Amino acid sequence: MKITRRHLRKIIKEAIDQQSYDLGREDAMAGIEPQLPDPDYMMGYNDVLIDSGQPPAEPPQDGPGTP
């Protein structure tokens, strides 16, 4: 089976998106404030909050490492 460059890029993007989602879920379960404004991260973060009956969180305004 031949994999095209386009298909490979799609596979890589999906893997990265899944990692962001999982990180957001882990942070929410640990009680850590949202760290990244990434949409996939926030989706994972808010899925945990919603499942536990809490309101969804807003993404952070400043990225990590911003003074």
Side-chain angles (χ1 to χ4, degrees):
M1 176 179 179
K2 183 177 179 181
I3 297 177
T4 64
R5 288 181 190 198
R6 182 176 179 171
H7 189 225
L8 183 58
R9 284 187 189 123
K10 182 179 176 187
I11 292 169
I12 292 170
K13 182 181 181 326
E14 288 173 358
I16 291 170
D17 290 347
Q18 184 63 42
Q19 287 175 344
S20 292
Y21 179 87
D22 291 343
L23 181 60
R25 286 187 57 82
E26 290 172 12
D27 283 356
M29 287 190 278
I32 299 171
E33 292 292 320
Q35 302 295 311
L36 302 171
D38 178 66
D40 293 311
Y41 173 89
M42 288 307 299
M43 185 183 304
Y45 193 94
N46 284 328
D47 281 351
V48 171
L49 294 181
I50 292 168
D51 289 346
S52 65
Q54 299 177 36
E58 293 292 320
Q61 297 302 315
D62 297 325
T66 303

